[in-house]
Amino acid sequence: MERMVQIYSCLVSLLQKCIFRIVSVGPIPNHVAFIMDGNRRYSKRLNSMEGSVHKAGFSVLKSMLKYCYEFGVRYVTVYAFSIDNFKRNPQEVESLMDLMVEKIEGVLREESNFNRYGIRIMFSGNLELLSQPVRLAAERAMLATANNSRAIFSVCVAYSSTDEILRAVRKSCEEKWDEITAFSLGGSEQDEMDHRIKLADIEKHMYMAAAPDPDIIIRSSGETRLSNFLLWQSTNCYLYSPSALWPEIGFRHFLWGILNFQRIHFYLDKKRKQL
Amino acid sequence: MDFARPKRMLYFWIDKIGNVLFRLSWHLVHAIIYLCYFTMAMLHGLESHLISRGLLRKYKYLHISKINYLAIVIESEEACRTSNVIQLLLWVATLGINHICLYDNEGILKKSKDVILDKFDGAILFQDTHENNMLLDQPCMTLEFVSFSDGKEAVARAANVLLMKYIKSRAAGSNQGEQIFSESEMSEALKTVGSGGPEPDLLLIYGPARCHLGFPAWRIRYTEIQHMGPLKSLKYGSLIKALYRYTTNLQIWYGNKQVKCSAVLPWKTVNLGKSNRTPSIHGDS
C-alpha cells in the first residue's frame, strides 16, 4: 500500500513537472497577486472554527507560492489583512494576528530556506496599525531576507489602496515642503512649476513601489470586486475570479489562470506599452 | 572508446526533440482552450437570445434600483463604434438605469460625447450637475465621460490642491496633516479638479480581457467588475444576465454589509415581460 502511494506521488510529481514545462513555453506572469477570499464561508460550510480554517488557508498559500516559484514568477503579493478587517469580531482579528506572528516566527526559524531560494519578504501596508509583536516580527522577517533577490513575496497587511494613495500623496507633499524650505523659494512661476507634485512623485511613495504592476490578480470565491486592493497598480492587469473558496483553491485553478493570462498576454502587453 | 561526444549529441537531440514536443503540446492545449471558449460563446449566444425573448423565467425580474450608478469601460479601439455605444446606452436607459459613466483609456468617447448626448432627449452631462449628492435625485439621464486623465493624473492634480493646503498650514506654524490627508479631503480635492464622480455599483467591461484599463482607482474600491466581451458582440440578453447576476449576488447584499453603502430603497423592479422586444435605435444609419 505504501509502495502504491509512493508510485502515485511520483507520477503526480512527474505529471506536474511536465505541465510546468509545457505551460512555460508561453509567457509567464512576472507578478501574481492573490486575494484570499472565502475562509469564513468555508468554515461556516464545514461548521468548523475560523482559526483552523485560516490555518488551512495558510497551507493553500504555501502551495500557491510553490507553484509560482516553479513557474518562475518573480513577484507574488497577497492580501493578508485589510484595514477594513480591523472592524471584524475582535476575537477573529486577534486569532489572525496570532497566526501571522506564528507563521512569521516559523519563517524566521526556516530563514535558511528563504535565503536558499533567494526569496525576499516584504510587508506592505500601514504597519503602525498593527500591534507591537506583529510589527516587530514583520520587521525582523524583512531584515532577515533583505539581501535576497531571486523572488519577492509581498504581504499586504493593514493595507488598503485608498490608504496607500493617501500616504503617497502625504509623503509627496512633505517632500515638496522640505524642497521648498530648503531652497527658500522667491515665489516665481517657474519655481512653482518645478515644485508641483507629479505622477512619478506619488508612484515612488506607494507601498508597492518595489514591485512592478501585477499581471494577474486572482480572487478566490468568485467575487468580482477588488475590495480596495492594488486599485492603482491594476490598470492593465488580468482579473481572474475562480469560484472556489480559498481553502479549496488548487493547482488546476492556478493553472487555468495562467493559461487564460497567456491567451490575452499580447493584448495586455500592448496596452501597457501604450501608457 | 570515447562515448562522451556521442552521448553529448544524444542529449542534444533529446533536448531539441523534447522542446519541439513541449511547444507542440502548448499549441495543442491552447487550441483546445480556444475551442472550449468558442463553444461557450455559442452557448452564451443562445442563452442571450432566449433571455432577450423572455423565455428564461429567472431573468424576467430585475431589481434595478440596486444599481444607482453604472460604469461602462470600453476598449479604446472599439470606442469609435458610436452606434454600438448608443445602442448599449439605450438598453441601459430602457431598463431604468439613468446614471451612467462611460470610460475608455484614450478619451475617444469624450470626443463623441456630443453625438451620444444628441441621441438621448434630456440627457445631461454629469459635470453639469451641481452637486454629486443630488445625482440620485436627478430624474433625467446623466452621462459622465471619463478617460485615463481622470484617473492617476487627476490624483496628481488633486495632490497639488492638498499640497497648497499643507503649505499654508505649515507656513502658519501648525501641522494639520491628519485633517488634510484624509479620504474626505482627497474626495473634495478630486471634485475640485473635475474628477470627483461617485463610486459605481457595477462596472461592465467591453473588451477582449477582464481588465479595468485604468478606470479611476479612487472610485472602484468595492465596485463589482464584470466582463462582457467585445463591444462588437454586444447582446441585450448578456446585459440582462450581468445585471441579474449583480442584483442577486447574496454576498454583496447580505454577506459583507460594510461593502454595500447605498440606502435600502423599496426595490424598483423591472418586469421584462413575455414578449421582450429588444429596444433598438430608430432612424439611425
Side-chain angles (χ1 to χ4, degrees):
Chain A
M1 185 64 180
E2 226 177 84
R3 189 108 178 103
M4 294 282 288
V5 170
Q6 269 178 354
I7 292 170
Y8 177 74
S9 303
C10 276
L11 282 172
V12 166
S13 173
L14 192 63
L15 182 65
Q16 263 191 358
K17 280 191 168 65
C18 222
I19 291 171
F20 281 128
R21 193 71 178 80
I22 292 169
V23 176
S24 298
V25 168
I28 296 294
N30 191 33
H31 182 176
V32 176
F34 293 95
I35 302 177
M36 303 181 288
D37 191 20
N39 290 299
R40 290 190 299 171
R41 269 169 280 169
Y42 188 75
S43 82
K44 276 179 195 152
R45 199 190 282 176
L46 296 186
N47 288 321
S48 64
M49 298 291 290
E50 280 178 8
S52 62
V53 170
H54 285 301
K55 284 183 179 164
F58 182 78
S59 71
V60 169
L61 173 61
K62 280 202 313 193
S63 303
M64 290 297 128
L65 289 176
K66 187 179 134 222
Y67 302 144
C68 287
Y69 188 84
E70 299 268 359
F71 270 117
V73 175
R74 197 138 180 262
Y75 298 87
V76 178
T77 301
V78 297
Y79 200 12
F81 197 83
S82 153
I83 288 179
D84 285 335
N85 291 153
F86 281 111
K87 296 175 195 162
R88 284 185 182 181
N89 182 317
Q91 278 173 328
E92 190 192 345
V93 173
E94 198 184 322
S95 134
L96 279 168
M97 291 296 134
D98 290 343
L99 178 67
M100 224 178 289
V101 172
E102 182 194 320
K103 295 307 170 191
I104 296 171
E105 299 290 347
V107 161
L108 289 167
R109 279 195 296 275
E110 290 171 41
E111 187 189 313
S112 57
N113 275 344
F114 274 82
N115 288 334
R116 182 155 43 105
Y117 292 117
I119 300 173
R120 181 179 172 189
I121 299 175
M122 294 183 56
F123 287 87
S124 305
N126 193 345
L127 303 184
E128 300 297 317
L129 297 177
L130 298 172
S131 61
Q132 200 182 41
V134 185
R135 193 170 62 249
L136 290 177
E139 284 165 6
R140 285 206 315 275
M142 285 195 279
L143 199 60
T145 58
N147 293 327
N148 298 335
S149 58
R150 159 78 172 77
I152 294 179
F153 173 44
S154 300
V155 182
C156 290
V157 62
Y159 173 93
S160 72
S161 264
T162 42
D163 182 69
E164 182 182 26
I165 293 168
L166 268 174
R167 178 190 172 272
V169 166
R170 181 178 190 150
K171 290 283 179 196
S172 304
C173 289
E174 287 168 359
E175 195 179 59
K176 290 299 165 189
W177 170 255
D178 291 341
E179 274 176 26
I180 288 165
T181 48
F183 290 103
S184 301
L185 276 182
S188 73
E189 203 176 298
Q190 184 56 44
D191 288 333
E192 206 180 293
M193 289 302 293
D194 288 344
H195 291 277
R196 287 180 71 79
I197 294 173
K198 299 180 194 64
L199 192 53
D201 297 321
I202 297 174
E203 294 203 311
K204 78 180 185 214
H205 289 299
M206 289 281 176
Y207 291 132
M208 294 297 300
D213 289 349
D215 297 293
I216 169 171
I217 294 179
I218 301 176
R219 179 174 185 149
S220 55
S221 81
E223 298 300 324
T224 58
R225 55 189 179 274
L226 288 170
S227 295
N228 222 340
F229 180 59
L230 300 184
L231 304 178
W232 184 272
Q233 295 85 353
S234 55
T235 296
N236 293 308
C237 173
Y238 171 52
L239 309 174
Y240 169 50
S241 302
S243 55
L245 302 176
W246 180 253
E248 296 168 335
I249 287 284
F251 179 65
R252 64 189 172 93
H253 303 101
F254 183 70
L255 183 64
W256 188 243
I258 300 287
L259 289 170
N260 278 302
F261 165 78
Q262 290 182 338
R263 288 184 71 237
I264 53 163
H265 169 258
F266 179 71
Y267 165 74
L268 290 179
D269 204 39
K270 190 176 80 166
K271 298 307 292 184
R272 206 163 277 160
K273 284 173 181 156
Q274 279 173 1
L275 281 178
Chain B
M1 282 184 79
D2 181 22
F3 290 109
R5 194 162 178 273
K7 207 172 160 184
R8 271 201 308 273
M9 289 296 290
L10 180 66
Y11 287 150
F12 173 76
W13 282 108
I14 287 173
D15 193 49
K16 267 254 186 252
I17 292 165
N19 282 340
V20 168
L21 285 173
F22 283 130
R23 198 162 277 277
L24 281 173
S25 305
W26 183 82
H27 284 290
L28 180 65
V29 164
H30 277 281
I32 292 170
I33 292 172
Y34 174 81
L35 283 171
C36 289
Y37 274 111
F38 182 78
T39 310
M40 275 163 53
M42 296 290 111
L43 292 171
H44 286 150
L46 176 64
E47 187 188 27
S48 175
H49 180 74
L50 294 174
I51 294 171
S52 303
R53 290 275 162 213
L55 295 173
L56 291 182
R57 217 183 140 116
K58 75 173 183 177
Y59 297 105
K60 278 190 173 175
Y61 300 97
L62 281 183
H63 295 293
I64 279 301
S65 53
K66 286 184 181 183
I67 303 171
N68 293 311
Y69 204 72
L70 176 71
I72 299 171
V73 169
I74 298 176
E75 156 57 41
S76 292
E77 281 173 15
E78 291 195 299
C80 48
R81 292 172 177 267
T82 316
S83 58
N84 285 113
V85 175
I86 292 169
Q87 178 72 82
L88 174 61
L89 289 174
L90 177 68
W91 289 343
V92 167
T94 309
L95 289 168
I97 300 170
N98 285 329
H99 308 298
I100 303 154
C101 175
L102 285 171
Y103 172 89
D104 80 283
N105 192 281
E106 292 172 25
I108 310 274
L109 290 168
K110 275 182 177 173
K111 292 175 192 161
S112 317
K113 70 178 181 219
D114 292 331
V115 172
I116 294 170
L117 281 167
D118 270 342
K119 294 289 179 185
F120 297 92
D121 288 333
I124 56 175
L125 265 184
F126 170 80
Q127 282 83 351
D128 295 338
T129 60
H130 292 295
E131 288 285 336
N132 289 356
N133 294 336
M134 288 169 58
L135 185 67
L136 296 179
D137 299 334
Q138 297 284 347
C140 56
M141 189 183 195
T142 64
L143 287 175
E144 186 186 3
F145 292 87
V146 172
S147 67
F148 191 75
S149 62
D150 298 295
K152 291 184 179 181
E153 289 171 16
V155 169
R157 293 196 298 274
N160 284 299
V161 171
L162 295 179
L163 175 64
M164 291 299 116
K165 287 186 183 177
Y166 184 66
I167 289 171
K168 267 189 196 149
S169 99
R170 291 300 296 265
S174 68
N175 185 354
Q176 295 177 324
E178 290 299 327
Q179 287 98 314
I180 293 170
F181 301 109
S182 64
E183 286 192 14
S184 53
E185 285 294 320
M186 187 68 187
S187 299
E188 279 306 312
L190 283 166
K191 272 188 211 171
T192 306
V193 301
S195 299
E199 286 188 38
D201 300 292
L202 175 63
L203 189 144
L204 302 177
I205 299 173
Y206 284 91
R210 190 157 169 263
C211 169
H212 64 71
L213 300 176
F215 191 92
W218 195 258
R219 296 171 61 180
I220 51 168
R221 289 179 294 175
Y222 303 110
T223 303
E224 294 292 314
I225 300 171
Q226 292 201 32
H227 181 222
M228 305 297 291
L231 187 68
K232 64 183 179 202
S233 312
L234 189 63
K235 289 181 189 62
Y236 184 63
S238 303
L239 175 66
I240 297 290
K241 187 176 173 183
L243 298 177
Y244 175 84
R245 203 184 294 154
Y246 171 76
T247 56
T248 54
N249 184 337
L250 294 177
Q251 189 57 21
I252 301 171
W253 299 99
Y254 303 111
N256 194 1
K257 288 191 175 62
Q258 69 200 26
V259 169
K260 224 40 213 152
C261 51
S262 27
V264 177
L265 299 169
W267 289 337
K268 178 180 158 201
T269 305
V270 173
N271 183 348
L272 296 171
K274 233 183 193 177
S275 57
N276 191 25
R277 192 160 160 247
T278 309
S280 60
I281 307 171
H282 297 292
D284 210 25
S285 57

